[in-house]
Amino acid sequence: DVQMTQSPSSLSVSIGDRVTITCQASQDINRDLSWFQQKPGKAPKLLISGTSTLQTGVSSRFSGSGSGTIFTLAINSLQPEDLATYHCQHYYSLPYSFGQGTKLEIK
Amino acid sequence: QVQLQESGPGLVKPSGTLSVTCNVSGVSVSSTYWWSWVRQPPGGGLEWIGEVFHTGTIYSNPSLRTRLTLSIDGSQNQVSLRLASVTAADTAIYYCALDSGLTEWGPGILVTVSS
């Protein structure tokens, strides 16, 4: 099974910061990776699939990159509405699995 | 617009069976989508449970496979999950989601396993 290791687990940020979150797979997963945003008390929301494809309606401040085993989610000019927990997920092979999540908090 | 809504008992006794139904609107559950389930323990991370296609094909997490049943009811436009022999470790928010890519999610339902 592919294991996903996400870092950091939490991040203190300021509005306007550029934020990067990393997800490492235990084996090559090609580019079969998604990123989700989850706000408190809400279901996760798909932001990016296929490593770098933004879903319709998602702000261009979000971007994804990587391939193989290392992947990155970047958020430019962090806005208050971006404060949330972010999860990566691979769908390269069954069973699909998620990283542990990264919680963004105000510094 | 696709909408999903989970429902079911919020409390299940240990060793009992957990049942969650996902009511779907905006698309037929018999269409060319997979229907996925994900769970999240309180304060914890996300766990992929499995997915089901209208043909009856199921892919599931090996950690749950022996206890898990996923099904589709086209007449009710519903997708269902049953998890047998539950313990406190199965306490979680259970989400249904559209397709393998988890493109749309229901709001989730908290199911607590406790006597």
Side-chain angles (χ1 to χ4, degrees):
Chain A
D1 297 359
V2 179
Q3 308 301 320
M4 306 300 294
T5 303
Q6 196 173 332
S7 60
S9 56
S10 64
L11 194 53
S12 293
V13 298
S14 298
I15 301 304
D17 282 352
R18 173 180 167 83
V19 173
T20 59
I21 299 168
T22 298
C23 198
Q24 181 168 3
S26 60
Q27 66 184 70
D28 189 333
I29 59 169
N30 196 12
R31 289 173 59 86
D32 294 342
L33 184 106
S34 293
W35 289 97
F36 297 84
Q37 176 192 64
Q38 185 177 27
K39 296 184 178 180
K42 301 295 187 182
K45 171 189 173 184
L46 178 64
L47 295 179
I48 291 172
S49 62
T51 295
S52 58
T53 301
L54 259 62
Q55 298 303 293
T56 302
V58 174
S59 171
S60 59
R61 293 180 292 98
F62 291 90
S63 63
S65 62
S67 68
T69 62
I70 299 289
F71 301 85
T72 300
L73 172 69
I75 311 173
N76 284 320
S77 186
L78 190 84
Q79 298 300 299
E81 61 266 28
D82 302 333
L83 294 174
T85 298
Y86 292 85
H87 307 270
C88 63
Q89 184 223 14
H90 88 85
Y91 49 92
Y92 177 77
S93 62
L94 295 167
Y96 308 147
S97 62
F98 294 85
Q100 304 94 317
T102 296
K103 184 176 183 179
L104 300 188
E105 299 170 309
I106 282 291
K107 193 177 295 183
Chain B
Q1 180 180 354
V2 178
Q3 291 189 312
L4 300 90
Q5 179 71 52
E6 301 86 352
S7 62
L11 182 64
V12 181
K13 293 188 186 304
S15 78
T17 297
L18 179 158
S19 296
V20 180
T21 297
C22 179
N23 291 281
V24 178
S25 60
V27 67
S28 169
V29 296
S30 300
S31 61
T32 57
Y33 289 113
W34 288 83
W35 298 95
S36 298
W37 291 91
V38 175
R39 70 180 183 178
Q40 184 174 36
L46 299 169
E47 179 181 23
W48 183 79
I49 296 174
E51 59 185 5
V52 58
F53 198 60
H54 68 89
T55 56
T57 301
I58 296 169
Y59 298 123
S60 59
N61 195 318
S63 68
L64 300 171
R65 188 167 296 154
T66 59
R67 300 191 289 131
L68 182 68
T69 302
L70 301 180
S71 59
I72 287 180
D73 184 343
S75 66
Q76 299 291 321
N77 217 42
Q78 292 176 339
V79 186
S80 295
L81 173 156
R82 288 171 58 88
L83 187 65
S85 304
V86 295
T87 69
D90 295 310
T91 293
I93 299 172
Y94 286 77
Y95 297 101
C96 59
L98 173 64
D99 217 1
S100 301
L102 310 177
T103 53
E104 298 288 342
W105 295 59
I109 181 171
L110 174 62
V111 181
T112 301
V113 178
S114 175
S115 56

